Amino acid sequence: MPALAFDEMTLSDGSIREAYGKLSEWLSAAPPDLLEYRVKEAELLFRRIGITFAVYGDQQAQERLIPFDIIPRIITNPEWNALKVGLEQRVRALNMYIADVYGRREILKAGIIPDDLVFQNEAFRPEMAGKRPPHDLWVHIAGIDIVRVDADTFYVLEDNARTPSGVSYMLENREVMIRLFPELFSRHRVAPVEKYSDELLATLRSIAPRSASADPTVVLMTPGVYNSAYYEHSFLADKLGVELVEGRDLFVRDDVVYMRTTEGPKRVDVIYRRIDDEWIDPMVFKPESSLGVPGLISAYHAGNITLTNAVGTGVADDKAVYSYMPEIIKFYLGAEPILKNVPTYRCREPEALKYVLDHLPELVVKEVHGSGGYGMLVGPHATKEQIELFRAKLKPRRRASSPSRRSRSPPAPLTSIPASRRGMSICGPSC
Amino acid sequence: MLSRTADNLFWLSRYIERADSLARILDATQRLASLPVAYGGKTNEWESALQTAGVATAFFAKYEEANHENVVSYLAFDRDNPSSILSCFETARHNARSVRTALTMEMWDAINGAWIELRRTSDRKLAGEELTRFLTWVKEISLRFDGSAARTMLRNDIYDFSQLGMLLERADNTARILDVKYHLLLPDKDEVGGGLDYYQWSAILRAVSAVNSYHWVYRESLKPWLVADLLILNDQMPRSLASCYGELVRHLDDLARAYGRQGQAQRLARASRVRLDNADIKEVFQGGLHEFITGFISDNNRLGSAIHEQYLA
């Protein structure tokens, strides 16, 4: 696979692509121990700031440093502009699809999406049927994973419309890079990212319910310090200048949400929640949840609180819906999708399933509801046992009505990029 | 600010202060226990260390004998003891992590660094010089934490709550040291002036780092009522009850001003402060030192509950 992959810096004839010219020059001029030294410096910085994430089920390293490569990946301005338009189109379509699924269900009536993809979807929330969140916006914050396969082609690998995470790593990454490589930044004109938190705060304030005051109160809700992304939650709350709350800090009285403060109860208008639907209100969802706030959904239906993202958005981001995204974009926007999907076989379709079973070692297989690298098979890197395990999972069940739960992406030979250490070079965001 | 944040800050600094106190108590005990029997008398110093730390009952549920090894292990490194130095630092670090955004980088560094370091040292049986070095290190952590707070924090409610926790804990610790040793300070004892008492008094001072201060303030050899005066009523002595309450009143007033509201916490703190202001050490002894101290400890606990009710719940 590495041999076939398109390298983002060096073309097959050995020449350097234009975007990487200055970086390549700098790299070849830099003494090798300089890079090693800066890698250490970066790790020290990360450790000191405490940028960690937890890996569930990994007792040894409860708090790990985020993997970080100091060689930058370059995306040119025209490339970024094209991506931007494509991403905006995709998120707009996602929003329209979710509004439709919980509203008039035109796309189902038109026969474009099979009913069971919605109604048998674990992330479908019947509680939201017929409901409209404030401003009819569902996905305020989306995480669209992109991979690159050659000079001109970017694929969307995955849509995250529930509670996407990771933006703090991007922001801290940039901070560290600027500290470690000021000379690289002065040679390139790098688009800044530091406005992210201001824009996020402006967005969050703009979506407050109409009943909120002119100066709405925004909070960020975390499941707590044991959550794998806790560092990010505290980082974002700090950048936004909003309170980082847990469920027990909030309570609902007469369908209004308050937080407990040292000055007494304070009304809350917008909750940027980093906790999944199922845990958010024990009176409606999992009754055993102690992370949520009893009565929150009732306040939500009364229109007194905005939840970011809205409840039920997961219906749009699993891997089965993903394969329909081109049709979804066409249906709502009447336009061709600007960003392509990775070619995908839907295992619910018998012919596709047969192909997949015959070519497992070459394919990436994902469970429809898996995320973050859990519940997937990377054929070319898998052992025989792993492949057989997935083959068993894929065999058609005898029950005629059972919808196949998995779909799969094809062999996506991702591009390679230069990296400071061996073994890290061919990974796109999701592998 | 969120009540939970204030609560975390309050307890965070309480635990750092508690770890510091434990280190001083162990230090003083180690010195006292190493004196020849002729000077040390018959009392078991290690047991009295447990009483000062308020964990004697829990200790004897686990151990038979209060000796050097058992007590050091229980007070310094035992995870079953929620008030051991190790547990204090772990809880403090956990609290710090939940209120990262309310701490300055320097404060976080002090706690996080201590936690990382302690995970390397724990489970070791420390004795003699090694133990002394460890206790010095613990005291340095609290100095670093306090110093960072003093030098880097905004003077707002966040600061007030962290100071309240520290001061309440400090007053409690000083009072407990006095409570366990009060009989040594009573004037009507046979052995007055004997070797045993002298070293006991100096151990009391050492437990609050006040040996030198004593001499600067009174310019006299150790007298039990002056030791009591220094620790209870002397405003200049940062670990005295009077000084702690002067500061507690100040921070509670700052909060009341910032929030535009007074409450039970302000009233209780002021009442205790006035009582300490008007007290005279002779009268304290006449009324009963033991009664005075136990009365203070329960008032101090009442103030803790009032702060909790008013701000942290």
Side-chain angles (χ1 to χ4, degrees):
Chain A
M1 193 158 124
L4 298 172
F6 168 80
D7 189 277
E8 296 193 23
M9 181 155 94
T10 315
L11 293 172
S12 48
D13 63 7
S15 62
I16 303 295
R17 287 179 64 235
E18 196 192 335
Y20 277 83
K22 289 172 186 161
L23 176 63
S24 161
E25 246 170 58
W26 184 87
L27 276 175
S28 45
D33 34 336
L34 176 83
L35 284 184
E36 231 162 84
Y37 173 70
R38 301 231 171 140
V39 167
K40 286 206 184 95
E41 231 180 331
E43 278 173 6
L44 211 67
L45 276 171
F46 281 152
R47 176 87 56 195
R48 182 159 173 265
I49 310 171
I51 308 183
T52 57
F53 69 108
V55 181
Y56 294 126
D58 186 348
Q59 290 293 328
Q60 290 296 308
Q62 270 197 10
E63 290 173 31
R64 278 206 215 165
L65 287 185
I66 197 84
F68 169 77
D69 194 281
I70 59 168
I71 309 290
R73 178 178 215 166
I74 295 176
I75 296 175
T76 63
N77 202 38
E79 284 168 351
W80 175 247
N81 286 338
L83 276 174
K84 206 157 88 177
V85 181
L87 289 166
E88 281 167 6
Q89 179 197 50
R90 194 150 177 124
V91 175
R92 194 167 299 127
L94 279 170
N95 258 303
M96 294 173 84
Y97 172 68
I98 299 167
D100 188 23
V101 160
Y102 292 113
R104 301 160 64 100
R105 297 180 180 153
E106 305 278 5
I107 201 163
L108 303 185
K109 287 175 199 154
I112 291 171
I113 300 282
D115 280 8
D116 61 59
L117 213 63
V118 173
F119 300 120
Q120 300 204 24
N121 190 320
E122 292 166 23
F124 177 72
R125 302 276 169 254
E127 298 83 1
M128 292 305 292
K131 300 283 196 295
R132 299 176 66 174
H135 311 277
D136 208 16
L137 274 174
W138 296 75
V139 180
H140 315 94
I141 296 158
I144 313 286
D145 291 352
I146 302 280
V147 291
R148 179 172 211 164
V149 289
D150 60 40
D152 308 307
T153 317
F154 290 90
Y155 283 143
V156 172
L157 191 66
E158 205 168 295
D159 302 293
N160 293 291
R162 303 173 200 207
T163 49
S165 79
V167 74
S168 64
Y169 304 127
M170 180 271 287
L171 295 172
E172 289 282 34
N173 184 323
R174 177 65 63 86
E175 278 305 306
V176 169
M177 287 302 288
I178 290 176
R179 273 170 84 161
L180 295 181
F181 297 100
E183 65 272 32
L184 278 180
F185 279 85
S186 60
R187 287 187 200 194
H188 294 85
R189 293 165 61 107
V190 184
V193 294
E194 66 221 34
K195 259 178 77 193
Y196 179 84
S197 50
D198 280 355
E199 285 183 14
L200 177 58
L201 184 63
T203 304
L204 292 170
R205 288 167 62 93
S206 73
I207 53 173
R210 296 186 208 287
S211 63
S213 73
D215 182 18
T217 300
V218 176
V219 299
L220 197 154
M221 183 177 179
T222 174
V225 288
Y226 298 111
N227 186 269
S228 64
Y230 180 75
Y231 169 75
E232 166 149 314
H233 305 162
S234 71
F235 172 88
L236 280 178
D238 200 22
K239 289 274 167 206
L240 294 170
V242 304
E243 292 290 357
L244 178 62
V245 304
E246 295 178 18
R248 58 196 159 124
D249 297 321
L250 302 178
F251 68 94
V252 178
R253 192 194 296 146
D254 298 332
D255 282 345
V256 174
V257 183
Y258 298 91
M259 61 177 159
R260 296 175 224 274
T261 79
T262 52
E263 297 175 80
K266 182 164 189 215
R267 187 174 169 155
V268 174
D269 304 300
V270 179
I271 301 177
Y272 175 15
R273 45 97 175 211
R274 298 292 295 263
I275 171 172
D276 293 336
D277 285 354
E278 300 95 292
W279 303 99
I280 209 162
D281 181 349
M283 289 169 79
V284 178
F285 302 116
K286 287 188 196 260
E288 75 272 21
S289 168
S290 56
L291 304 173
V293 185
L296 186 59
I297 294 299
S298 167
Y300 188 47
H301 288 332
N304 290 332
I305 188 86
T306 301
L307 294 175
T308 303
N309 289 339
V311 174
T313 52
V315 76
D317 75 356
D318 68 41
K319 277 101 201 156
V321 179
Y322 163 86
S323 69
Y324 288 93
M325 274 312 285
E327 287 97 321
I328 288 174
I329 292 170
K330 264 177 251 165
F331 182 77
Y332 293 110
L333 299 173
E336 287 298 316
I338 298 167
L339 291 174
K340 292 181 206 161
N341 270 8
V342 177
T344 301
Y345 303 90
R346 294 173 192 145
C347 291
R348 55 171 30 251
E349 293 161 8
E351 272 174 46
L353 178 61
K354 185 174 181 308
Y355 178 87
V356 167
L357 286 171
D358 291 344
H359 295 82
L360 267 183
E362 302 152 31
L363 299 174
V364 172
V365 186
K366 290 182 174 183
E367 293 195 17
V368 169
H369 285 287
S371 74
Y374 297 92
M376 65 185 285
L377 172 80
V378 183
H381 294 286
T383 63
K384 272 207 174 105
E385 289 74 31
Q386 287 167 332
I387 289 175
E388 290 317 307
L389 186 76
F390 264 75
R391 187 185 304 285
K393 286 188 183 186
L394 284 166
K395 288 280 195 225
R397 318 246 155 103
R398 284 298 153 214
R399 284 194 11 247
S401 66
S402 135
S404 183
R405 288 174 49 238
R406 291 161 196 91
S407 72
R408 55 224 20 87
S409 322
L414 307 178
T415 60
S416 70
I417 52 169
S420 63
R421 270 175 268 183
R422 287 177 60 80
M424 291 183 67
S425 59
I426 49 159
C427 268
S430 250
C431 16
Chain B
M1 69 194 291
L2 279 182
S3 296
R4 182 175 50 84
T5 307
D7 189 53
N8 270 323
L9 282 164
F10 179 86
W11 283 100
L12 163 58
S13 46
R14 268 197 97 145
Y15 278 111
I16 299 276
E17 183 66 22
R18 187 169 295 176
D20 180 77
S21 285
L22 284 166
R24 288 165 200 283
I25 291 167
L26 282 172
D27 200 19
T29 308
Q30 192 185 17
R31 286 181 79 112
L32 212 48
S34 62
L35 284 176
V37 182
Y39 297 88
K42 295 177 218 81
T43 49
N44 181 342
E45 291 313 323
W46 294 109
E47 187 168 338
S48 105
L50 291 169
Q51 275 159 5
T52 311
V55 293
T57 317
F59 175 87
F60 285 111
K62 184 166 177 174
Y63 294 99
E64 297 263 304
E65 195 194 344
N67 56 23
H68 179 288
E69 192 184 321
N70 291 349
V71 173
V72 169
S73 143
Y74 192 72
L75 290 186
F77 298 117
D78 200 328
R79 279 205 169 77
D80 293 343
N81 172 10
S83 290
S84 69
I85 291 174
L86 176 67
S87 299
C88 281
F89 279 151
E90 280 190 344
T91 315
R93 201 266 182 177
H94 180 267
N95 280 13
R97 221 177 146 230
S98 339
V99 293
R100 263 301 288 276
T101 56
L103 300 179
T104 61
M105 192 67 209
E106 289 79 3
M107 295 169 81
W108 166 253
D109 253 1
I111 300 169
N112 196 40
W115 178 76
I116 291 170
E117 181 76 24
L118 194 55
R119 295 214 307 179
R120 280 188 226 132
T121 10
S122 57
D123 311 325
R124 279 172 49 192
K125 298 208 183 309
L126 299 181
E129 187 261 349
E130 261 189 328
L131 177 62
T132 310
R133 205 171 338 131
F134 171 74
L135 298 174
T136 306
W137 174 80
V138 172
K139 286 184 269 183
E140 274 164 8
I141 296 303
S142 68
L143 284 176
R144 204 175 147 202
F145 180 73
D146 286 356
S148 309
R151 300 184 79 123
T152 59
M153 277 185 100
L154 289 173
R155 294 322 194 242
N156 54 13
D157 49 354
I158 296 180
Y159 183 68
D160 290 322
F161 283 112
S162 72
Q163 294 295 299
L164 287 179
M166 179 187 79
L167 291 162
L168 210 66
E169 179 72 20
R170 187 174 288 174
D172 184 65
N173 284 319
T174 301
R176 276 169 183 285
I177 289 170
L178 286 167
D179 192 35
V180 173
K181 303 274 186 178
Y182 83 95
H183 54 280
L184 296 163
L185 298 172
L186 296 179
D188 57 347
K189 291 182 72 251
D190 300 341
E191 303 144 86
V192 170
L196 162 67
D197 283 1
Y198 184 88
Y199 292 107
Q200 288 283 0
W201 300 332
S202 94
I204 294 174
L205 292 175
R206 199 175 304 283
V208 292
S209 297
V211 181
N212 291 346
S213 305
Y214 176 91
H215 294 290
W216 280 107
V217 172
Y218 301 106
R219 301 190 178 277
E220 275 212 53
S221 59
L222 296 189
K223 300 282 187 304
W225 58 91
L226 292 182
V227 171
D229 184 65
L230 182 67
L231 265 50
I232 298 173
L233 301 179
N234 194 302
D235 240 342
Q236 299 174 8
M237 165 66 206
R239 288 181 182 272
S240 75
L241 307 185
S243 166
C244 289
Y245 265 75
E247 292 287 297
L248 280 167
V249 166
R250 192 165 72 76
H251 287 291
L252 283 165
D253 282 349
D254 285 350
L255 280 177
R257 228 184 341 269
Y259 295 166
R261 227 175 318 183
Q262 302 250 350
Q264 183 71 357
Q266 278 81 9
R267 284 189 286 278
L268 286 175
R270 221 169 289 134
S272 288
R273 166 75 184 154
V274 167
R275 213 170 304 132
L276 290 162
D277 263 352
N278 296 335
D280 174 279
I281 200 66
K282 261 187 230 138
E283 289 163 25
V284 170
F285 274 95
Q286 274 159 16
L289 179 59
H290 181 59
E291 288 71 15
F292 183 88
I293 294 165
T294 43
F296 176 87
I297 292 177
S298 68
D299 285 349
N300 196 52
N301 289 341
R302 208 166 303 132
L303 176 60
S305 319
I307 291 173
H308 181 80
E309 295 262 302
Q310 200 169 321
Y311 298 113
L312 312 179

